[in-house]
Amino acid sequence: MTDLKRVLGEAVETAFAAIGAPPELGRVTPSDRPDLADFQSNGALAAAKRLGKNPREIAAAVADRLAGDPRLAGIEIAGPGFINLKIADATLADRANEIAADLRLGAGSVAVPRRVIVDYGGPNVAKPMHVGHLRASIIGESIKRLYRFRGDEVIGDAHFGDWGYQMGLLIGAVMDEVPAIRALVDDGNASGAAPADLSPLDAVTLSDLDRFYPEAAATGKADTEYRDRARKITMGLQSKQPGYYALWERFRAVTQVALERDFHALGIDFDWWKGESDVEHLIAPMVAELDAKGLLVDDQGARIIRVVQQGDKRELPPLLVVSSEGSAMYGTTDLATILDRQQAFDPHLVIYCVDQRQADHFEIVFRAAYQAGYSQDGQLEHIGFGTMNGTDGKPFKTREGGVLKLNDLIEMTRSKARERLTEAGLGENMAPAEFEDIAGKVAVAALKFADLQNFRGTSYVFDLDRFTSFEGKTGPYLLYQAVRVKSLLRRAAAEGFGQGVIIISEPAERDLVLTLDAFDSALTEAYDKKAPHALAEHAYRLSQAFSKFYAACPMLSAEPAIRSSRLTLAATTLSQLELTLDLLGISVPERM
Ligand code: ARG
């Protein structure tokens, strides 16, 4: 099952070879001028240079070779030597029927499946999630789904941030605020055993943490004594002092419940909820081993790994493995996590979907891992992304200037989605529960599509009005299109109209089939570049091609053979659109 671009490409490559030109120059691409041709090959220009001939002559010789190929309805030479190809209707129809009958809707899969871990989301205990986490979640989820669909075995891991300095800050802050908890924690630490009665800890809620953390973080910055205490507590936690540990477990539990709720609302699910703390047991032996390998260097009481390499344009700082207070750092848990993942899953590839601003961090960790022989070059890959900005061009903040909480963002988008639905007269006469479900789906589509339609490296401006519009290149527009096809198919079914073999006569049908055929190219590009925007683009093109087809080609009123052909085309378009959206993490309601 091969897409037309590749099938034609092979034919053109063979023709190039036959006239003594390098075959790879025969590559075809979709035509720049769809009004004139379906595909084009520009290779005659390069071939002419290599062979010292006139490009139009080369193009003519290639065209001669292709003449008579029944799959082609037209071969033309344009301009300086472009070869324009038009596919025969029958060949297009064959391909359309093939896609319609294919459970994968024309998508190929990887030849050799790999084991892949996608490290994404990266939420932290206590620290509120910011827009960087939102983007990591949206992009990472899509990459996980895409890789899985292509046939790889994929694990998505949240890599919960639960073992760093912020834990020490927070433990200190709660102990200051709640005397009963302080007594319990102190008792536990002193006696060396977990407190027998943990019930006072139940009083700690997420909103307490939300409240205490920003203050504690600010005090820690200004007040060195306060900071030193937080560091000491962090050390105590990392050496598992029972009082600290019990309180920390409570923090972790309340945070995770809330996070799972927020992620769930966004259609994001992790296979592993592992955290930094899960590799705690690997750290001491790892440090000993790194030391034995001669990789650790003492640096003012801390222990580091130097990672500078020849040819570096600027000097990368070393990996801080053990701080001067003796605690494990962010990079230490990352290094140990590489070991943990190897033991648990032995991945061929780990994709870290994290804010571009952490590019150096990952470069440092990866180099250390390669030096230590924990991973092989190329097995670890950081895919960074730009930020979601406010209109001021800086990372998006709330009106009060604080970090935007994920939950608030979801709520805000949902309420806008409700407004939009009502404005458009959609969702009328609907039970409140269904209306809510639809508003949720519109909100998720709005946020995710706005994010994924850009190449991930690009930053974009948060514009809720635009994102939630049912017009333009937006998630809600795509949902609306998909729902329209669903209702068309329901009407046809109610009339007793069945689907049948696809036949092609109208230009809008040709365009639609060519777009359906381009699915595998979009998938391949998204997969190879780890860039879901290629899929977002495909979803948009597909709904545009469908719109034109819908306007130009009557369906229910057409004669039976045409009607059943067009219904199959509509159903196939819907399936491919829903699949593409699903790979972006967007789900389509039944109606709206
Ligand atoms: N928790 C981190 C943060 O908030 C992100 C974690 C990314 N993944 C990783 N393996 N370091 O910045």
Side-chain angles (χ1 to χ4, degrees):
M1 163 83 72
T2 317
D3 57 0
L4 291 170
K5 191 177 102 178
R6 227 165 301 168
V7 169
L8 276 195
E10 275 163 27
V12 178
E13 282 167 24
T14 311
F16 268 66
I19 64 154
E24 66 279 7
L25 295 179
R27 212 173 58 89
V28 304
T29 52
S31 170
D32 295 339
R33 290 284 308 272
D35 50 327
L36 299 180
D38 302 325
F39 292 96
Q40 67 187 56
S41 166
N42 304 343
L45 282 74
K49 239 184 232 151
R50 298 244 193 124
L51 303 177
K53 286 196 182 153
N54 175 322
R56 278 193 75 100
E57 240 169 72
I58 300 266
V62 170
D64 270 352
R65 292 274 165 180
L66 292 170
D69 187 325
R71 295 169 298 185
L72 292 172
I75 310 166
E76 260 158 32
I77 299 163
F82 302 127
I83 304 166
N84 282 338
L85 304 168
K86 203 165 174 85
I87 309 254
D89 284 352
T91 304
L92 265 185
D94 283 349
R95 177 65 180 148
N97 283 305
E98 203 176 57
I99 296 173
D102 180 13
L103 286 175
R104 294 178 58 81
L105 299 155
S109 44
V110 292
V112 187
R114 295 177 293 177
R115 281 184 304 278
V116 179
I117 292 180
V118 186
D119 176 316
Y120 70 107
N124 299 306
V125 171
K127 281 202 259 185
M129 293 224 264
H130 54 70
V131 296
H133 296 111
L134 175 73
R135 292 210 70 191
S137 312
I138 292 176
I139 300 167
E141 177 73 22
S142 176
I143 288 177
K144 182 190 76 181
R145 292 180 184 210
L146 170 63
Y147 270 59
R148 199 167 275 162
F149 179 64
R150 291 295 266 185
D152 291 321
E153 197 185 332
V154 189
I155 297 275
D157 184 5
H159 200 73
F160 210 11
D162 63 358
W163 208 232
Y165 164 68
Q166 88 269 20
M167 302 310 330
L169 273 173
L170 199 65
I171 292 173
V174 171
M175 288 169 69
D176 289 346
E177 293 287 329
V178 192
I181 291 187
R182 164 183 291 277
L184 193 99
V185 170
D186 283 344
D187 272 1
N189 286 348
S191 67
D197 176 18
L198 292 175
S199 56
L201 297 183
D202 294 347
V204 178
T205 64
L206 190 66
S207 56
D208 292 335
L209 304 189
D210 280 352
R211 205 152 38 84
F212 298 154
Y213 179 75
E215 268 174 45
T219 316
K221 270 191 192 133
D223 177 343
T224 48
E225 221 168 283
Y226 192 85
R227 185 182 59 218
D228 288 345
R229 183 188 67 159
R231 286 190 176 160
K232 261 197 209 110
I233 299 177
T234 308
M235 256 304 291
L237 170 68
Q238 291 186 353
S239 48
K240 291 203 172 166
Q241 289 195 35
Y244 292 148
Y245 198 79
L247 182 53
W248 169 86
E249 280 185 309
R250 173 75 191 161
F251 292 167
R252 203 184 131 112
V254 290
T255 311
Q256 185 167 339
V257 170
L259 286 173
E260 281 191 81
R261 179 202 60 206
D262 291 351
F263 280 124
H264 187 74
L266 279 174
I268 289 162
D269 291 293
F270 299 101
D271 305 292
W272 287 355
W273 262 99
K274 289 205 173 192
E276 297 165 351
S277 66
D278 284 293
V279 297
E280 177 275 324
H281 64 290
L282 296 172
I283 291 177
M286 178 181 83
V287 170
E289 192 192 36
L290 293 170
D291 201 14
K293 287 186 172 163
L295 291 168
L296 286 185
V297 179
D298 287 322
D299 183 49
Q300 302 169 30
R303 316 206 68 195
I304 61 171
I305 298 180
R306 288 195 211 284
V307 298
V308 285
Q309 278 172 10
Q310 250 185 354
D312 282 352
K313 294 211 175 62
R314 64 202 164 80
E315 195 173 332
L316 275 181
L319 179 75
L320 182 52
V321 181
V322 187
S323 78
S324 50
E325 286 98 6
S327 32
M329 310 303 286
Y330 181 41
T332 321
T333 47
D334 259 325
L335 196 59
T337 299
I338 292 172
L339 290 173
D340 184 49
R341 287 175 176 163
Q342 222 140 45
Q343 286 163 14
F345 192 61
D346 193 18
H348 298 96
L349 176 66
V350 184
I351 298 172
Y352 295 79
C353 184
V354 187
D355 201 314
Q356 186 58 30
R357 290 172 291 185
Q358 294 196 28
D360 279 357
H361 166 75
F362 287 108
E363 183 60 30
I364 293 164
V365 170
F366 297 170
R367 286 187 183 188
Y370 299 142
Q371 282 182 33
Y374 292 168
S375 251
Q376 266 143 42
D377 210 357
Q379 266 182 341
L380 307 170
E381 187 177 353
H382 169 226
I383 59 164
F385 45 80
T387 48
M388 181 174 91
N389 295 332
T391 37
D392 59 357
K394 299 207 187 95
F396 188 79
K397 294 250 161 78
T398 60
R399 229 171 292 164
E400 295 74 38
V403 275
L404 179 73
K405 284 207 218 109
L406 196 55
N407 192 21
D408 295 345
L409 176 74
I410 297 168
E411 259 325 304
M412 192 163 110
T413 315
R414 263 191 203 214
S415 96
K416 191 84 203 166
R418 285 184 208 110
E419 224 175 86
R420 291 285 197 185
L421 283 164
T422 312
E423 244 168 50
L426 297 167
E428 270 168 18
N429 311 321
M430 222 173 240
E434 188 181 5
F435 184 76
E436 262 315 291
D437 176 62
I438 294 172
K441 288 187 164 123
V442 170
V444 169
L447 284 175
K448 288 191 173 175
F449 195 81
D451 191 297
L452 296 171
Q453 69 170 282
N454 307 291
F455 175 67
R456 60 179 154 74
T458 337
S459 298
Y460 64 95
V461 173
F462 180 76
D463 181 347
L464 199 52
D465 268 329
R466 196 163 57 77
F467 296 175
T468 54
S469 169
F470 281 104
E471 276 154 38
K473 199 171 181 179
T474 69
Y477 164 77
L478 293 173
L479 290 194
Y480 181 68
Q481 291 297 328
V483 165
R484 212 155 64 124
V485 191
K486 287 192 184 189
S487 88
L488 166 76
L489 293 172
R490 272 197 301 264
R491 247 181 301 142
E495 300 270 353
F497 296 152
Q499 298 174 19
V501 178
I502 297 173
I503 38 186
I504 287 182
S505 50
E506 293 296 320
E509 292 171 322
R510 297 184 56 93
D511 282 352
L512 183 56
V513 174
L514 285 166
T515 313
L516 286 166
D517 178 57
F519 183 40
D520 192 56
S521 280
L523 276 166
T524 309
E525 185 189 347
Y527 181 90
D528 290 346
K529 297 185 181 155
K530 301 172 177 83
H533 80 292
L535 285 176
E537 188 59 34
H538 179 73
Y540 184 64
R541 285 198 189 155
L542 191 57
S543 30
Q544 278 191 315
F546 184 82
S547 258
K548 288 194 188 130
F549 160 76
Y550 191 68
C553 302
M555 240 170 283
L556 303 189
S557 61
E559 54 143 308
I562 304 265
R563 180 180 63 219
S564 57
S565 157
R566 288 181 179 162
L567 286 172
T568 311
L569 262 180
T572 307
T573 303
L574 173 65
S575 305
Q576 202 187 70
L577 181 58
E578 273 200 287
L579 170 58
T580 310
L581 290 172
D582 182 65
L583 295 175
L584 298 173
I586 295 172
S587 59
V588 181
E590 279 318 297
R591 52 180 194 146
M592 21 196 235

